[in-house]
Amino acid sequence: MSGLLLRLAGPLQSWGERSAFTPVRDTASFPTRSALIGMFAAAEGISRNEADLDRYQDLRLTVRVDLPGIRLIDYHTAGGGFPKDRTAATSQGSNKGAAVITRRHYLSDAVFVVAVTAADQTIHRLADALTRPHWAPYLGRRSCVPDEPFLLRRHVDDPEEELRTRVPLSRTGPRTEDSEGLQSGTIPVEFLLEQPPPADQSEQPVPVDVIDVNDVPVSFAQHGRSHTSRRLHRTQLPVPRSLTGPPHTLIQRLIDYAHLEESA
């Protein structure tokens, strides 16, 4: 088992929690499993109707919330002022004949780092696809383009440990200087885990919020999308304060971290 690391950042993200088209197009507060698997399938060139989702069922996803972002709502219309045959289509093959009004939710300036853990062969396959994607990745919606660096590491022995101890944080943390002028201590950072957090006998038990989310894809077919649920463990884990830094150093810190793999 090994893994890769993705950094999901950009001006806007939107991680829909509903498979049906509704007037309110909401967003989860974190990247969903359905959206991430859809991103992997698209990178591999697998269409919605051809997707064999069993190939992704063994992936373990861990999300670190660097910045939760600010929720924005866009009042959106489509198909207004056109003849009926040029308005939005219906599921029965006709047209609505009027403008479709939706309110679309986004996360602004959010940053997530995702550890993807799987068998070595699977990780190599996904890393190759994400490096040269068949269809470009996006952050939940096609209009939400990811920042660079996107694929932080192609191969890591323990990606979850990397999230907790080495991947630079996209935030400025409170500073505490030790006697040598170096940052010391840790800061709490939110994680979303598909299994209970690691136990640390030397510290107090970590509070965990167990939540059920309906985001495991069964089918991506255009007229037959379906999902099942999974259990997530939302908690805060200590991360070295040294992973933070001034905003103007962030991109360089990320590039330096990504280049460590090339020089290894």
Side-chain angles (χ1 to χ4, degrees), residues 38 41-53 134-135 220-222:
E44 293 191 86
I46 302 172
S47 69
R48 290 181 182 275
N49 294 323
E50 298 173 346
D52 174 17
L53 300 182
H134 183 89
W135 287 301
F220 284 140
Q222 187 170 3

Side-chain angles (χ1 to χ4, degrees), residues 7-210:
R7 181 175 180 269
L8 307 180
L12 293 175
Q13 306 185 31
S14 188
W15 309 103
E17 293 184 280
R18 303 175 188 175
S19 58
F21 189 95
T22 60
V24 178
R25 307 298 301 277
D26 59 1
T27 178
S29 59
F30 53 86
T32 61
R33 185 177 179 91
S34 177
L36 291 170
I37 287 177
M39 181 188 296
F40 301 150
E44 293 191 86
I46 302 172
S47 69
R48 290 181 182 275
N49 294 323
E50 298 173 346
D52 174 17
L53 300 182
D54 288 343
R55 67 195 280 128
Y56 304 111
Q57 67 178 357
D58 293 333
L59 299 183
R60 187 169 74 239
L61 305 176
T62 300
V63 177
R64 190 183 77 183
V65 183
D66 284 22
L67 294 171
I70 300 170
R71 189 176 294 265
L72 299 179
I73 301 177
D74 175 37
Y75 178 82
H76 184 92
T77 64
F82 291 103
K84 181 177 179 179
D85 61 355
R86 295 179 61 189
T87 59
T90 68
S91 59
Q92 289 76 34
S94 181
N95 297 84
K96 294 183 178 294
V100 176
I101 298 174
T102 60
R103 288 172 171 81
R104 305 190 179 197
H105 293 218
Y106 297 88
L107 301 177
S108 172
D109 296 328
V111 180
F112 307 96
V113 184
V114 182
V116 183
T117 305
D120 291 353
Q121 182 177 3
T122 300
I123 292 301
H124 291 314
R125 187 189 81 226
L126 292 180
D128 288 343
L130 291 167
T131 302
R132 296 177 179 83
H134 183 89
W135 287 301
Y138 51 84
L139 305 179
R141 293 200 183 124
R142 290 186 181 90
S143 59
C144 301
V145 180
D147 284 348
E148 292 287 353
F150 170 66
L151 179 58
L152 278 180
R153 288 285 183 90
R154 290 174 52 95
H155 182 275
V156 181
D157 290 336
D158 189 343
E160 294 170 4
E161 177 68 12
E162 287 285 314
L163 282 188
R164 294 191 297 267
T165 61
R166 298 183 184 88
V167 181
L169 269 167
S170 301
R171 67 167 71 170
T172 301
R175 299 180 64 87
T176 301
E177 305 294 335
D178 61 21
S179 59
E180 297 180 352
L182 302 175
Q183 286 184 288
S184 60
T186 62
I187 60 174
V189 175
E190 182 176 314
F191 281 76
L192 292 138
L193 313 167
E194 291 187 324
Q195 58 187 12
D200 189 339
Q201 303 299 327
S202 65
E203 298 181 0
Q204 295 294 324
V206 177
V208 178
D209 181 19
V210 179

